Amino acid sequence: MIDSTWISFRDLPPSSGGFSKLYVDYISDFARVQHYFETDFHSMPGIPKQIEQLRSHDQHRTRLVEVLREQNERYGVRSKTMEHIEQLAETNAFAVVTGQQVGILGGPMYTIYKTLTAVKLAERLREAFPDYKFVPVFWLEGEDHDFEEVNKVVLLNQENIPTKIEYLINGKPLEKNLGAVGEIQFDGYLQAFFEEIRKCLPNSEFKSGLLELFERFYTTGATFGTSFARFLSTIFEDEGLVFISPNDRRLKQLLSPIFQKEVQEYPRVSQLIIQRSAELEERYHAQIKTKALNLFMFHKGGRYFIEPREHDFSLKGTRHFLTKEELLGIAVETPELLSPNVALRPICQDALLPTVAYVAGPSEIAYFAQLKPVYQYFNLRMPVIYPRASVTLHEGRSQKVLEKFEVDVSEIFAHQDRIRRKVVEMVSEVKIDEMFADASKRTSELLNEMKFGLNYIDPTLLGPLESAREKFETQLTILKEKVQQAQERKHETALRQLNKATNNLMPNGNFQERELNVAHFLNKHGMGFIQRLKDQVRIDEFKHQILHI
């Protein structure tokens, strides 16, 4: 890897699917948003206060370590991970947490960047505070029931076109709620998924080994959650990354008091979020659209939102009803049947783990801004919310194309139509913009000269003259568009090269980190690519990093 270009988040326009005003202020003007958060992530001196607050709470360490040990053995982790788990039994050990849905093959690249950020932040904290131990932990968000969030990858095919490849249960689109996606088992149609991967990936020296790696962890009968953890553990094999799956009966028993409080005192949590949202929306936006009760329930294989009614509760989309007493009984006796929504998930996470910092993406940071009163309500302290690294990988072939056409990489995020015109004109002998600008100017000058004569003959003719001017300009614009289209057809080769570069940097018009799967890069650069990323991705610049590779 060579070097990086840095772009302020303020300079990434909303038209590129960019970053919210709240996120931009969080990164670059924290004083404007500090009311909504507990600690400024820029400030290392704030960490000891966070640690002292954590030490004053019982974090269920013995039970937690017991569950983590068992889960991670099942994921086939390395010895360093097991060492980190044992450290968490000690009162001077704390977790640097990140998490994500258990997308097939790891999901989009931002999963990799979140993990790298957590690993590197834990290392920095160990260096800064040698009296304490800091362990990177990955929260496997496998309880969600949105299958379409985890069943696909996007790769660039051999023509460099973004290609979506889906795994479909029984080879068919999903027709029902299948419950926690992390527990869904792969069936024989997994082979069809991998065959599409095989066809899509360009041939390389690493392709065969990469496919063998995928097929080792993603097998018929394995679950989304277990396969995800095994895969991520392998590509981060030397980092001691600890995985936690909250969909575990023993962990849910530890969360039972939170579930009971939510049921007994609803809609208090929602009221707190609504109050905070009203403040936020005076300047920003509210990410969470809260519900009266922030719990789901597993029932007959599905995961259903618990919807309060006048005298009882219903599972949305079913004919199943519960009294408040029955729901409280479930929270006490079988809490494994309950599952938190987005508002309660961080609370559950930080009730289980001694979380000193959570590595979050832009949307997560926005919803944490709504949750400080909820943390206080549950007598917890919000961890340091640390922004994940944001990266676009700029590969050599794309660099050469942009250099050839004198396009700056930053232009790709905002002005793709303008860049197309620029490239077409560069390779064309006819400068369309200049030609039509000159025609418009000369025509305008001629019509202005006519005004004097027409005004002398009959002033009422000036109106028709202006109408003629407007009609001419309109027709000239229409003609210009047709000429540009004809010129683009004439210069398809140059545009194909540009499109390939654009597809690398902004596939499907979206940020690369939100679209492409890591398989695209592992296929080109091999498994050592992850270590190279770790060496080059910066977690302390707090800008969008264009990493030249």
Side-chain angles (χ1 to χ4, degrees), residues 14-300:
S15 60
S16 67
F19 298 84
S20 71
K21 187 175 185 296
L22 189 154
Y23 179 74
V24 170
D25 279 353
Y26 187 80
I27 294 292
S28 57
D29 194 0
F30 185 80
R32 295 175 67 88
V33 299
Q34 62 182 355
H35 170 64
Y36 305 111
F37 298 90
E38 203 72 65
T39 309
D40 183 352
F41 71 91
H42 297 89
S43 174
M44 280 291 184
I47 296 295
K49 185 177 180 180
Q50 190 76 22
I51 287 172
E52 288 307 310
Q53 289 285 331
L54 287 173
R55 295 184 76 168
S56 67
H57 286 79
D58 177 13
Q59 297 292 330
H60 319 291
R61 288 180 185 267
T62 302
R63 178 62 62 86
L64 173 67
V65 167
E66 174 188 320
V67 175
L68 291 179
R69 192 184 295 124
E70 181 183 306
Q71 288 185 350
N72 283 264
E73 285 176 352
R74 189 163 67 243
Y75 302 146
V77 299
R78 298 296 180 93
S79 59
K80 189 172 180 179
T81 294
M82 300 309 291
E83 291 172 12
H84 279 166
I85 291 172
E86 299 308 320
Q87 287 179 7
L88 285 172
E90 303 171 26
T91 58
N92 68 335
F94 302 95
V96 176
V97 184
T98 194
Q100 194 59 45
Q101 292 166 304
V102 290
I104 194 167
L105 303 187
M109 279 297 293
Y110 57 63
T111 301
I112 304 300
Y113 302 136
K114 290 178 86 171
T115 308
L116 278 174
T117 305
V119 166
K120 296 186 75 165
L121 180 57
E123 290 177 352
R124 287 184 61 197
L125 291 175
R126 286 183 210 122
E127 293 173 3
F129 305 100
D131 292 337
Y132 301 101
K133 298 172 182 177
F134 298 93
V135 174
V137 177
F138 196 101
W139 180 277
L140 299 167
E141 188 47 65
E143 291 191 33
D144 193 277
H145 59 272
D146 192 345
F147 182 69
E148 293 186 353
E149 290 289 326
V150 299
N151 76 323
K152 64 181 72 65
V153 297
V154 174
L155 301 171
L156 296 179
N157 67 13
Q158 306 203 28
E159 286 74 44
N160 229 54
I161 297 171
T163 304
K164 180 175 71 174
I165 301 174
E166 292 184 290
Y167 164 74
L168 298 174
I169 297 172
N170 296 322
K172 300 176 182 178
L174 197 62
E175 296 181 353
K176 64 178 182 176
N177 183 330
L178 290 181
V181 294
E183 304 304 322
I184 294 175
Q185 293 182 326
F186 292 102
D187 63 15
Y189 286 88
L190 191 60
Q191 296 308 310
F193 172 78
F194 281 124
E195 185 57 33
E196 290 300 310
I197 297 281
R198 189 183 305 276
K199 291 178 183 176
C200 183
L201 287 175
N203 290 329
S204 77
E205 61 180 300
F206 305 110
K207 182 175 178 178
S208 177
L210 182 63
L211 288 167
E212 289 177 8
L213 177 72
F214 291 160
E215 292 174 353
R216 189 194 321 163
F217 299 125
Y218 287 84
T219 59
T220 301
T223 66
F224 269 79
T226 298
S227 297
F228 178 97
R230 288 176 175 172
F231 173 61
L232 212 62
S233 174
T234 297
I235 64 175
F236 289 100
E237 61 182 0
D238 297 323
E239 306 301 342
L241 187 63
V242 175
F243 296 91
I244 179 170
S245 171
N247 195 17
D248 182 288
R249 180 181 54 81
R250 294 159 297 178
L251 296 181
K252 290 293 180 69
Q253 287 172 343
L254 299 178
L255 295 174
S256 174
I258 291 175
F259 297 158
Q260 292 177 54
K261 188 177 178 73
E262 174 67 3
V263 173
Q264 287 173 327
E265 301 181 20
Y266 90 93
R268 185 59 186 145
V269 167
S270 295
Q271 289 171 344
L272 291 170
I273 293 174
I274 289 169
Q275 290 168 6
R276 180 49 52 95
S277 300
E279 294 177 43
L280 271 171
E281 289 177 328
E282 292 179 8
R283 183 182 296 174
Y284 302 112
H285 75 289
Q287 186 75 20
I288 298 174
K289 305 303 180 186
T290 188
K291 303 293 186 181
L293 187 70
N294 295 287
L295 290 171
F296 289 84
M297 181 173 167
F298 296 113
H299 174 70
K300 292 186 176 179

Side-chain angles (χ1 to χ4, degrees), residues 8-20:
S8 168
F9 290 108
R10 292 189 185 279
D11 296 331
L12 291 168
S15 60
S16 67
F19 298 84
S20 71

